[in-house]
Amino acid sequence: MAQRKAAGASRAARRRHWWQLRQRWRMLGVFEINTEHEFYPLTARIKEGIQTSIQTTANTQGQNTLAEGDFKAEETQAHEGFVMQTFASSVFAKVRRSLDITEEEYINSLCSDQCYLQFVSNSKSKADFFVTNDKRFFLKTQSKREVRFLLSNLKVYVEHLDKYPHSLMVRFLGVHMIVIPNQMKKYFIVMQSVFYPDERINIRYDIKGCEVGRWANPDTDSEGKQVIKVLKDNNFEGQNIALDEKKSWFDRQVEVDTAFLQRLNVLDYSLLLAHQPLHRDELQGKRSLANLVIRTTKSFDWDDDDSPTGPDPPSVPLLDGSRDQGGPGTSCESAQTRGSAAGIQLQETPPPVNQTPTDIELQEFNQHHRRLLPNCKNAIHVIDGDDRRYFVGIIDVFTVYGWKKKLENLWKRLRFPGRAFSTVRPAKYSLRFCQWMQEHTM
């Protein structure tokens, strides 16, 4: 008896030790910005400034029709020791509402007493990356040129998301500038994190669809433990994205999103990709009719003659009580495992004798280029395949094909003859990006 107790205690101790090691492994490359961190004064001011800014947009709650001036609006709030400028606040408030993110949730995540996390990226840019403590939102410093580019194209960006509410494009949730007199002036953007929730994610990729410079060595620390790092195209060799019946939707959405970026004369964007095995309850739930739920406030295609800038149609109902479900540290779950089908708004059109409700729902989804979304807070960036859950999102959409990139293209053609590199014309970049996705999905 004593031996069995001792063996049980030993197994429990090993599990605790393994869990602690996994937690340490996950945190390698991510550092808490505590009071001793060099960025603590900056992030403390960012929190204060964002909270004040959000409170000024509270009166726009429920406002879905945007005026031309909303896209050019700038608001400045003076604080003790710094000034915060906020751009197009009502526009980004609408984007947050479309994702079912309440202002309270947004403030609680971005402005909580818990420290931000600094993400050490292997990106070539000199940007600083911060993550909220619950890892739900991402903050990134940007150049003035990049911010001005985003704001000048904000209207067409919002129109694209209106037309394709299940787009893979990263969701920008706020643009700000903070000025600390005699110290710094920084622009930064707030985005929804593609990798949320990340409790079971242990590998991440940044895909551009080319080969030159697209290998990342998995680093280790001084103790030989692997550091979390975003891997690249060549690291993905020999693998596939197994999406099953969602492949055709995915391929088409990549084409739509890259065509939009091509019209903006943009290149060098990436697809962030991660995956994790589906739990048994998730596998069962994703086959249920209860999963046929539209998790956006608008889930339809506009006709060519329609204007996305006009008054919005009535919102599609969300899951009842969906804001009370899940949260930081919880995994996405199927609608069936989170609650009964009675709490889910579905169409009630009676089916013809020879068609099932599922057939009708799928036809409706396909007609408006929608997809089945899992019941979780980050459903836009989550696609369930046959046995894996994929986290996907198109990021880094600020590089314009100007004269500098044209010169870089000429130099790389001479240095890497016959090889695929990232600095090419937007049309070629878009085509190659789509081809890579088609070849690596199944």
Side-chain angles (χ1 to χ4, degrees), residues 159-176:
E159 289 174 355
H160 180 76
L161 298 185
D162 280 345
K163 187 171 183 178
Y164 302 101
H166 296 171
S167 166
L168 300 173
M169 296 276 292
V170 66
R171 298 309 196 265
F172 299 112
L173 306 178
V175 176
H176 307 269

Side-chain angles (χ1 to χ4, degrees), residues 287-289 292 351 355-364 372:
R287 298 185 178 94
S288 169
L289 177 63
L292 299 180
Q355 285 187 309
T356 67
T358 303
D359 292 333
I360 288 182
E361 295 289 350
L362 289 174
Q363 287 177 9
E364 180 70 10
L372 308 187

Side-chain angles (χ1 to χ4, degrees), residues 133-296:
N133 198 273
D134 60 8
K135 301 182 183 178
R136 187 174 181 182
F137 301 112
F138 212 85
L139 296 89
K140 180 183 178 184
T141 60
Q142 305 280 171
S143 69
K144 182 178 180 180
R145 182 202 63 78
E146 291 168 334
V147 166
R148 292 302 176 188
F149 174 78
L150 172 60
L151 294 175
S152 65
N153 291 287
L154 184 58
K155 186 176 181 180
V156 292
Y157 167 76
V158 171
E159 289 174 355
H160 180 76
L161 298 185
D162 280 345
K163 187 171 183 178
Y164 302 101
H166 296 171
S167 166
L168 300 173
M169 296 276 292
V170 66
R171 298 309 196 265
F172 299 112
L173 306 178
V175 176
H176 307 269
M177 179 182 71
I178 186 169
V179 179
I180 303 176
N182 303 319
Q183 291 189 38
M184 69 174 64
K185 178 171 72 172
K186 283 185 178 291
Y187 290 90
F188 67 92
I189 59 176
V190 182
M191 299 171 283
Q192 186 174 23
S193 176
V194 174
F195 301 141
Y196 174 82
D198 72 341
E199 282 73 26
R200 292 189 286 130
I201 295 176
N202 56 19
I203 192 165
R204 299 162 173 81
Y205 294 93
D206 178 292
I207 304 295
K208 292 183 182 292
C210 57
E211 59 173 322
V212 174
R214 303 304 297 164
W215 170 267
N217 289 316
D219 290 340
T220 57
D221 66 1
S222 58
E223 299 178 0
K225 297 184 178 67
Q226 190 169 12
V227 177
I228 288 181
K229 196 170 186 179
V230 179
L231 304 179
K232 299 183 180 181
D233 302 56
N234 294 332
N235 300 98
F236 198 77
E237 185 177 355
Q239 302 181 62
N240 286 295
I241 308 170
L243 298 181
D244 199 20
E245 72 276 2
K246 298 183 182 68
K247 171 179 168 54
S248 60
W249 178 90
F250 177 80
D251 290 342
R252 174 59 180 154
Q253 189 60 58
V254 170
E255 290 178 359
V256 168
D257 289 335
T258 57
F260 167 72
L261 295 174
Q262 181 182 334
R263 289 194 296 272
L264 297 184
N265 200 33
V266 165
L267 70 157
D268 215 25
Y269 42 87
S270 304
L271 183 88
L272 278 187
L273 170 68
H275 58 76
Q276 65 187 33
L278 283 169
H279 282 320
R280 181 180 300 175
D281 60 345
E282 294 167 337
L283 287 169
Q284 294 171 346
K286 82 187 190 75
R287 298 185 178 94
S288 169
L289 177 63
N291 248 358
L292 299 180
V293 178
I294 305 167
R295 292 277 301 164
T296 55

Side-chain angles (χ1 to χ4, degrees), residues 297-436:
T297 56
K298 294 183 303 300
S299 296
F300 57 89
D301 249 337
W302 293 91
D303 294 329
D304 291 340
D305 295 332
D306 290 338
S307 173
T309 58
D312 292 326
S315 296
V316 176
L318 301 177
L319 285 173
D320 290 348
S322 62
R323 290 189 181 98
D324 297 326
Q325 297 175 344
T330 62
S331 297
C332 300
E333 299 178 19
S334 70
Q336 185 173 354
T337 60
R338 298 293 287 270
S340 67
I344 300 172
Q345 304 292 332
L346 292 175
Q347 297 180 2
E348 298 180 355
T349 305
V353 176
N354 62 340
Q355 285 187 309
T356 67
T358 303
D359 292 333
I360 288 182
E361 295 289 350
L362 289 174
Q363 287 177 9
E364 180 70 10
F365 273 42
N366 291 334
Q367 180 182 352
H368 299 301
H369 196 59
R370 301 192 296 247
R371 60 185 166 111
L372 308 187
L373 300 180
N375 179 24
C376 62
K377 288 294 183 182
N378 194 28
I380 289 297
H381 291 304
V382 173
I383 305 178
D384 284 350
D386 190 38
D387 60 357
R388 288 183 176 272
R389 170 160 287 165
Y390 294 90
F391 296 78
V392 292
I394 296 176
I395 64 164
D396 293 340
V397 298
F398 300 111
T399 303
V400 177
Y401 192 60
W403 66 269
K404 288 185 179 180
K405 287 298 177 181
K406 291 178 181 179
L407 289 177
E408 185 178 340
N409 170 270
L410 178 60
W411 177 76
K412 286 186 175 181
R413 285 166 58 189
L414 296 174
R415 184 177 181 185
F416 306 109
R419 299 184 65 189
F421 47 84
S422 62
T423 310
V424 294
R425 292 177 293 104
K428 182 176 181 179
Y429 193 95
S430 171
L431 177 62
R432 190 176 62 193
F433 191 89
C434 291
Q435 288 176 340
W436 192 100

Side-chain angles (χ1 to χ4, degrees), residues 51-110:
Q51 183 159 11
T52 302
S53 172
I54 297 299
Q55 289 171 346
T56 64
T57 64
N59 294 331
T60 67
Q61 187 73 22
Q63 175 187 326
N64 285 323
T65 304
L66 298 173
E68 193 71 29
D70 291 326
F71 294 92
K72 302 176 181 179
E74 298 181 9
E75 301 162 5
T76 303
Q77 291 101 18
H79 301 262
E80 185 177 351
F82 72 99
V83 172
M84 176 77 85
Q85 191 168 14
T86 301
F87 302 91
S89 59
S90 59
V91 177
F92 292 110
K94 180 185 176 184
V95 175
R96 296 194 293 270
R97 287 194 301 274
S98 75
L99 299 171
D100 195 28
I101 299 172
T102 68
E103 301 299 76
E104 181 181 7
E105 285 178 313
Y106 194 61
I107 290 177
N108 288 344
S109 180
L110 283 164

